[in-house]
Amino acid sequence: MCLIILRTCANSPIIRYHAHIGGQYVDGLRGPLLINDVNAPYRGIDTEYTLTLSDLYHTEAPSLINYYQSTDNANQNNGAEPVPNSGLINEAQGGNYPMVAGKKYLFRIINMGAFAPFYLQFDQHDMTVVEIDGVYTTQTTVSQLFVTVAQRYSVIVTAKSDSTKNFAIKASMSTDMFNPTIIPATFNTEVSAYLVYNSAAALPAPLTISPLPFDDSVFTPYDQQAALEPVTMPIQMTISFGTNQNGQFRGYLNGIDYIPQKVPTLYTAMNAPLTQVNNPSIYGTNSNPYVLPLNAVVELTLQNHDSFAHPFHLHGHNFQVISRTSGGPDFPINIPAGAPMRRDTVQVMSDGSVTIRFKADNPGIALFHCHIEWHVEAGLTATFIEAPTELQAAKLYIPVSHRDVCDVQGILRKGNAAGNSKNYLDLSNANIVAETDMWGYVSLDPRRKLS
């Protein structure tokens, strides 16, 4: 795992870098990127620690993707997602965090997994939350966190006043979405680490934790930013799953499953005629495109028609959570008046909805997607083309290395989604259906390979 630290005054303390192609981040192309903000609104921290959570698969992602997106999986398992073998803390199990009595520690917590949310608890130590997804919050103390895929938390943990014993940290996977018929032979939902006050003392027995009701709307932003007004661009989306014309089990937003186009959306936006650049159709129907005018206040309401919860993530912005249905007694919701929770990944409850707002003030291409990596591969993604007129005016420089990557792979860099640079309204050659052999690996049932 590579750790990158920057010194800046930016208000984005935790970022997770990772790939989204072929499940590469599932296989290890991922890591934390931490920003040391000299103006952070908390003081007295003696030491900082990084604590990453991830789910471990014993089979490489491309084979898992191919089976997940196969007709065999659609027919036999109703399109069930691959189930991990175990959990990891900092890409390992049984790690130690040295503690000194009376000191204050800042733990930067990141779920870098592909699928599983985690319940996280420090034995006999509370956590004071000071930041979520790069947004500073008013300080709120909790005994347990629920951290879904892609979410981040910074918490302050105050050490005990003496060093006579050590304490366990426990992360326990939520298994609500795991299909019991494809549980691997080697399977463990819990992983431990330790707060070590005394290296000569014995480590404690693994901690047993029970899920507690969790409402992340209590974490209101430190800057107390009020709800954005007025809304100038309302968007409605629905989440659903079903089989496509090839019999693959796919994820749909408004009935559309995302398919990569012949020309990446950024290149289309940079090269299209000004008369067409704001026309969403040139980006291809199956890129699920939405053109956002500069400084529009976007209000997106997402209706989940699936019986499972989904962590939805927006690139390029933190959004305000204006409203959300609860997830029953385990996940109540009580969004306070005034300053709504602000973050970039929100759990949309099963058969529920969420309404978010953000200002379109970052020209470029921003994906909005479920951050379960299997659902990214299944097409549960939309594309926001943000202020494309202003994007063109900025005359961005694309590095030679980026262009070379496209050229080596035969990916076009000019034209509409279909690669047509003469008539941007001609989409007759656009990609409209997912590949049946997505990453060139033999489609094996993962149950045959997992041990």
Side-chain angles (χ1 to χ4, degrees):
M1 179 177 69
C2 178
L3 175 64
I4 300 175
I5 301 178
L6 303 178
R7 291 199 65 82
T8 179
C9 293
N11 184 7
S12 297
I14 306 179
I15 303 170
R16 172 186 119 142
Y17 72 85
H18 54 281
H20 263 310
I21 298 294
Q24 289 173 341
Y25 95 69
V26 184
D27 289 338
L29 188 50
R30 63 191 182 198
L33 192 157
L34 308 181
I35 296 174
N36 287 332
D37 184 356
V38 297
N39 295 319
Y42 48 80
R43 295 291 182 267
I45 302 301
D46 295 292
T47 300
E48 293 187 12
Y49 285 129
T50 301
L51 192 158
T52 64
L53 304 167
S54 50
D55 40 22
L56 175 67
Y57 289 81
H58 290 182
T59 299
E60 291 183 344
S63 292
L64 294 174
I65 292 168
N66 265 4
Y67 181 74
Y68 170 55
Q69 287 291 279
S70 70
T71 55
D72 284 348
N73 188 45
N75 294 333
Q76 297 168 14
N77 304 311
N78 197 31
E81 300 84 355
V83 175
N85 292 81
S86 61
L88 300 175
I89 293 178
N90 279 5
E91 307 289 17
Q93 297 178 343
N96 294 341
Y97 291 89
M99 303 287 282
V100 175
K103 300 291 187 180
K104 283 190 174 182
Y105 295 82
L106 183 71
F107 280 80
R108 307 213 194 230
I109 299 163
I110 313 170
N111 187 337
M112 300 199 307
F115 188 21
F118 284 86
Y119 294 94
L120 178 68
Q121 191 167 321
F122 293 63
D123 186 23
Q124 301 179 49
H125 292 69
D126 285 336
M127 296 172 277
T128 299
V129 177
V130 295
E131 174 263 327
I132 58 174
D133 294 359
V135 178
Y136 293 123
T137 66
T138 55
Q139 296 192 17
T140 305
T141 299
V142 298
S143 61
Q144 186 182 96
L145 286 175
F146 176 83
V147 191
T148 193
V149 173
Q151 287 185 334
R152 291 94 66 207
Y153 287 88
S154 290
V155 303
I156 296 172
V157 175
T158 301
K160 299 290 186 182
S161 58
D162 63 73
S163 301
T164 57
K165 59 184 295 189
N166 303 315
F167 297 87
I169 302 171
K170 173 60 69 68
S172 178
M173 282 192 253
S174 171
T175 61
D176 288 350
M177 293 188 72
F178 293 5
N179 186 323
T181 66
I182 59 171
I183 297 295
T186 301
F187 178 64
N188 187 1
T189 62
E190 299 186 334
V191 56
S192 296
Y194 301 95
L195 302 176
V196 178
Y197 286 80
N198 185 345
S199 59
L203 293 177
L207 178 66
T208 299
I209 65 174
S210 298
L212 300 174
F214 185 76
D215 178 7
D216 58 351
S217 68
V218 302
F219 305 123
T220 57
Y222 180 82
D223 61 15
Q224 292 297 293
Q225 183 187 86
L228 295 169
E229 297 282 359
V231 173
T232 59
M233 188 166 186
I235 297 174
Q236 300 279 335
M237 288 187 189
T238 58
I239 304 168
S240 60
F241 285 80
T243 52
N244 66 6
Q245 55 264 58
N246 288 334
Q248 299 163 286
F249 198 73
R250 302 285 292 169
Y252 298 90
L253 292 175
N254 283 356
I256 298 171
D257 60 327
Y258 177 90
I259 309 293
Q261 298 301 296
K262 288 184 168 60
V263 177
T265 303
L266 176 63
Y267 288 116
T268 297
M270 291 179 64
N271 293 298
L274 283 176
T275 55
Q276 298 294 338
V277 73
N278 288 286
N279 182 347
S281 69
I282 70 171
Y283 303 102
T285 299
N286 279 90
S287 72
N288 219 336
Y290 293 81
V291 175
L292 310 181
L294 182 66
N295 291 325
V297 174
V298 180
E299 181 176 272
L300 168 59
T301 297
L302 190 61
Q303 298 277 350
N304 186 6
H305 294 175
D306 187 40
S307 57
F308 296 105
H310 295 272
F312 263 81
H313 172 65
L314 175 62
H315 291 202
H317 293 276
N318 292 304
F319 49 71
Q320 298 176 328
V321 180
I322 301 301
S323 66
R324 185 179 69 190
T325 53
S326 72
D330 290 336
F331 299 98
I333 192 76
N334 184 27
I335 295 176
M341 173 176 64
R342 198 164 75 245
R343 64 186 319 161
D344 63 28
T345 305
V346 64
Q347 186 86 330
V348 186
M349 299 305 175
S350 60
D351 296 309
S353 67
V354 65
T355 297
I356 64 174
R357 284 184 198 167
F358 65 95
K359 189 174 184 179
D361 56 3
N362 188 14
I365 311 303
L367 292 184
F368 179 66
H369 62 94
C370 176
H371 214 290
I372 292 172
E373 183 65 1
W374 314 121
H375 295 170
V376 171
E377 294 293 337
L380 204 56
T381 298
T383 309
F384 292 144
I385 301 97
E386 190 168 344
T389 301
E390 290 74 15
L391 175 65
Q392 281 199 5
K395 299 185 183 301
L396 295 181
Y397 173 73
I398 302 295
V400 173
S401 60
H402 288 54
R403 287 175 271 166
D404 287 347
V405 167
C406 288
D407 295 344
V408 167
Q409 297 182 79
I411 298 173
L412 302 176
R413 293 190 282 110
K414 189 173 182 180
N416 63 12
N420 192 330
S421 58
K422 294 182 178 179
N423 180 2
Y424 272 73
L425 297 180
D426 181 2
L427 277 297
S428 57
N429 200 34
N431 297 336
I432 59 173
V433 64
E435 297 285 340
T436 54
D437 187 11
M438 302 185 76
W439 299 108
Y441 277 55
V442 177
S443 296
L444 295 178
D445 184 334
R447 290 172 294 181
R448 300 175 190 166
K449 298 189 73 177
L450 295 179
S451 60

